[in-house]
Every structure is written in structure tokens, then in C-alpha cells.
Amino acid sequence: MWLIKLAWKNLWRNRHRTAITMAAVFFAVILATLVSSLQKGVFDNLIRNMVSFYTGYVQVHARGYWDEQVLDNSFEQRAGTEAVLLRNPGVEGLAPRLESFALAASEEVTRGCLLVGMDPEPEDRITRLKEKLVKGRYVSPADNAVLLAQGLATRLRLGVGDTVVLIGQGYHGAMAAGKYPVQGLLKFGSPDLNERAVFLPLEAARELYAAPGMLTSYVLSLSEPDELDAVATGLRGRVDSSYEVMTWEEMMPDVKQRIRTDTASMSIIIGVLYLLICFGIFGTLLMMMVERRYELGMLVAIGMKKRKLGALLLVESVFTVLTGCLLGLLTSIPLVYYLNRHPIRIGGEMARSYERFGFEAVFPTSTDASIFWTQGVIVLVLGLVLSLYPVLKVLRLEVVGAMRK
């Protein structure tokens, strides 16, 4: 007990020295937490955007559809199949779709587009389509109108209330053509979708493509996205062999590969960061030992055992590092939360380069609780390991040399 009291008093005999040591740990925790939360936040945002923009976490198709995405590889919508999918643990909801490619034309311009026939309410629950509406109003199941992506509308020189002509190939080779009023404009974070997406109520799309009762996919949302593989495995065991179950990772392997590459790069950066943190903490401990060399030599000279003196310095270091970690965590929580609500946005040429790859130039932080305690524990362990240096110096202390000024 006396050791703890003495260590606490020693800390505040030289407040400036203690504050500098605590500050090194304090800023180390903040920096490590910010970098880690930014890394996780960027990748989570990328996945969430790609999933919520369009694909969903899991899709169910007719077998062979993904390799040859034509309407002839569609399947009939059945309530029994939907019930089986929804009974699977982890599946929160589903949205039926009938998708194909078509030509969208205005009076003067024609562009290729991705035409998505969807059930408006289930689609909104999974991809939050209403939130992307920037002009006009959302469609209902009975509407015979389209929602155009804003970039495509600009290229076609169309606005809300104008008419777009859709031309394509229907089910079993039928001719598909129709004229539809533009009921709303959508803005997607994915530039690729923003340049080519057209949404039509499911029944109107079936009528256009002469495909009554047919679907090309079920898009599934999950209650726990981290359980993606487990849910997909469970679904594959429940549906029959005429269906294929695909996760977003299988549908977008290029995105998964990019995340892996960036994760490896960020691991190197975080490793360098930890190295800098070690140097910062060690520098303050080294300074402390130089300043206290005479004091430590005097204590040994008047009879204090080196072992007890080393234990005293260790307790002081534990207090200093632990206090710095706690203060760093308490400061980093509101800072990370703020950057999560107000993410970093990059503009100019760098933003355009991101958009060319189909990604939003937005960098939010993650508020995952594990980030805070993980980084706090890592910095705490680093600080405690480095705190062994003063103990070793005391055990090897030469009294006469230490007291020589």
C-alpha cells in the first residue's frame, strides 16, 4: 500500500514531467483510435454503399443466371420460396426484382440503361431507395411510371414529368417497348449507377418484358451483416438445386480484392504508427530517467533496495500510462463520433479519380466499440512494456556515477 501512495506522490512532485509522459500516451491513444476507426469506417462505408445502392448482402437467382444475365434465365415468383428464405436465421427481409438491360431514349438522345423492376416498399426497406429521391415522388406498386438516376436524366435531358422511351428484348425473345412518365429522380453515391439506373414498379416491368409472374432475383437484407457467410451457407441448404445463392463478395470480387489490398496497406501504416508511438513513449521515459538519475542514486545510497525502487518506478509508470490511456479514450470517443456524423469529404481531381472507380469520396469513421478498447489495450500494453526500461536501469544503477553531477 505504501508503494502506491509513494508512487502517486512522486507523480505530482514534478507535474510538468508527469504531464508530458501522460500526453505522449494520450495522443498515442487518440491517433491509434482515429486511424483504426477511419480504416474500418471507410471499408464498412464502401461495403454498405455498394450493398445499399443495389446488390444487397445476398441474392438468390435461378442457377446460371449470374453467368448469363438474360430474362430467359428468370424464375417464377412463389410464396413458398419466399417463406423458406425468410425463415432462415439472419435474414431480415427480401425484395423481388426483374432486371434487364434496355435502351432509354428521349427526343434527341439514347443511352443504355439497367432497368430494374421492383416492388417499391420491400425495395426501399433494403436499399433505402426513397432516401435517394432528390426530385419528384416515389412510385407505388400500381404506378406505370419510372424513377430515373439523376446522371442518366441529365444525359437524356429529361426532368420530372417528361417521358422516356424504353426499348429492349423481352422474355423468350419478345419485343419490349414502352413510354413512361418520369415520376422522380434518384441520386446514387455510386457514379456507375447514377449514370444508368432506371427503376420501374414490378408489374409494369413484367408487362413491358412480357414476363408475367417472373423474377430474376431476390435481394436479401441481413440482421447481422458480419454473419454473411453463415447465412449464405444456411440458405444454400434450404433452397433446391434450381437456385443459386450468392453473397455480395461473390458478385463483386473486384471490390473484395480492393478491400483486401487496402487492408494490407493500412496494416503496414498502422504498424509504422505503433512504432512511432513506441518511440514517443520511450522518449518521455528516457527524459524522465535522465532527470531523476541523481534522485534515484541518492535513494539507493541511503539504503533503499534497488528491487523496491524498481517496483516504485513501475507503479508510477502504470499510473501514468493508465491515466493517459483513459484520458485518450474519453477524448477519442466524441471525436470519432463527430467524424462519423460529419465524414471527411474529398473534392477536386482526387474525388473524380475515386468516382472513376465507382466509389464515393467520403471517409467516415467507425463507432464500433471494439476499436476503442482494442486500441486502448494495445497502447496500454506498449506503454507497460516500455516502462520496464526504468526498472532495468535502476537494477543496473551505479550509485557513484548516478550522483555525480
Side-chain angles (χ1 to χ4, degrees):
M1 194 66 182
W2 66 268
L3 201 62
I4 295 175
K5 290 181 179 179
L6 185 58
W8 185 254
K9 288 181 179 179
N10 279 345
L11 287 179
W12 304 113
R13 280 194 305 109
N14 190 328
R15 287 184 170 85
H16 294 295
R17 182 177 63 211
T18 302
I20 290 172
T21 308
M22 284 184 179
V25 179
F26 171 80
F27 287 111
V29 171
I30 292 177
L31 194 56
T33 303
L34 278 177
V35 171
S36 297
S37 65
L38 188 61
Q39 177 194 15
K40 182 171 174 54
V42 168
F43 292 149
D44 286 350
N45 184 63
L46 172 62
I47 294 169
R48 184 169 55 252
N49 281 350
M50 296 303 296
V51 166
S52 67
F53 286 158
Y54 189 63
T55 65
Y57 284 100
V58 179
Q59 286 192 15
V60 178
H61 317 115
R63 188 161 298 280
Y65 170 79
W66 195 251
D67 296 326
E68 190 177 0
Q69 297 181 34
V70 295
L71 286 173
D72 289 349
N73 286 333
S74 58
F75 59 91
E76 187 176 351
Q77 184 176 14
R78 292 191 179 94
T81 303
E82 294 179 4
V84 168
L85 296 175
L86 290 171
R87 278 200 302 267
N88 192 81
V91 175
E92 194 172 51
L94 62 79
R97 283 184 185 164
L98 183 68
E99 305 169 56
S100 188
F101 296 95
L103 290 176
S106 60
E107 187 175 351
E108 300 176 354
V109 184
T110 301
R111 295 284 177 183
C113 69
L114 172 65
L115 180 60
V116 183
M118 50 80 190
D119 195 345
E121 291 309 316
E123 185 72 28
D124 178 59
R125 284 195 292 270
I126 292 179
T127 62
R128 303 194 300 274
L129 202 57
K130 282 183 184 177
E131 295 178 12
K132 300 172 179 66
L133 194 67
V134 293
K135 196 171 183 181
R137 62 183 180 86
Y138 197 59
V139 292
S140 67
D143 284 336
N144 197 40
V146 299
L147 300 175
L148 281 186
Q150 193 176 49
L152 179 61
T154 301
R155 289 180 177 274
L156 294 175
R157 302 171 195 165
L158 294 174
V160 174
D162 293 334
T163 299
V164 63
V165 177
L166 299 175
I167 304 171
Q169 181 175 320
Y171 188 52
H172 288 329
M175 183 64 184
K179 291 198 305 183
Y180 301 92
V182 178
Q183 190 160 302
L185 300 182
L186 304 166
K187 183 177 181 180
F188 291 93
S190 167
D192 185 45
L193 275 178
N194 210 43
E195 294 291 331
R196 65 190 189 107
V198 178
F199 288 83
L200 190 64
L202 183 57
E203 290 306 319
R206 284 170 169 169
E207 184 178 348
L208 171 67
Y209 286 119
M214 303 303 290
L215 299 174
T216 53
S217 61
Y218 282 117
V219 180
L220 308 182
S221 63
L222 309 184
S223 54
E224 294 293 337
D226 292 339
E227 301 295 325
L228 178 68
D229 292 332
V231 173
T233 301
L235 287 169
R236 291 184 182 110
R238 286 176 177 267
V239 298
D240 61 51
S241 59
S242 63
Y243 297 97
E244 61 183 3
V245 177
M246 298 183 70
T247 64
W248 71 265
E249 295 175 345
E250 294 168 321
M251 291 183 284
M252 296 184 290
D254 52 334
V255 175
K256 183 181 179 181
Q257 184 58 43
R258 175 177 175 173
I259 290 174
R260 281 183 174 175
T261 303
D262 287 353
T263 300
S265 302
M266 286 299 295
S267 298
I268 296 173
I269 294 173
I270 290 176
V272 173
L273 174 63
Y274 286 143
L275 189 62
L276 293 175
I277 288 170
C278 288
F279 278 119
I281 297 174
F282 184 72
T284 59
L285 293 173
L286 194 62
M287 176 192 69
M288 179 194 73
M289 288 303 298
V290 171
E291 288 183 352
R292 299 182 68 180
R293 189 179 180 197
Y294 182 82
E295 171 197 339
L296 298 174
M298 179 65 74
L299 288 172
V300 174
I302 62 176
M304 190 170 188
K305 295 184 181 297
K306 290 182 179 180
R307 180 171 51 81
K308 288 187 176 180
L309 184 56
L312 177 64
L313 290 177
L314 186 60
V315 173
E316 289 180 23
S317 297
V318 170
F319 277 142
T320 304
V321 174
L322 188 59
T323 304
C325 280
L326 290 175
L327 291 174
L329 286 175
L330 290 175
T331 305
S332 63
I333 289 172
L335 187 58
V336 168
Y337 184 81
Y338 177 82
L339 290 174
N340 176 265
R341 296 297 179 182
H342 303 87
I344 300 168
R345 294 180 182 273
I346 294 178
E349 186 58 37
M350 185 172 290
R352 286 190 287 274
S353 68
Y354 271 89
E355 288 177 358
R356 282 194 289 269
F357 285 99
F359 306 119
E360 246 186 328
V362 178
F363 302 91
T365 54
S366 170
T367 55
D368 188 343
S370 65
I371 293 173
F372 297 98
W373 67 262
T374 299
Q375 297 308 315
V377 167
I378 290 174
V379 175
L380 178 63
V381 170
L382 289 175
L384 294 179
V385 170
L386 292 171
S387 297
L388 295 176
Y389 170 76
V391 177
L392 294 175
K393 289 294 289 184
V394 166
L395 294 178
R396 298 177 181 178
L397 186 69
E398 294 181 7
V399 177
V400 177
M403 296 179 65
R404 186 183 297 128
K405 291 189 176 180

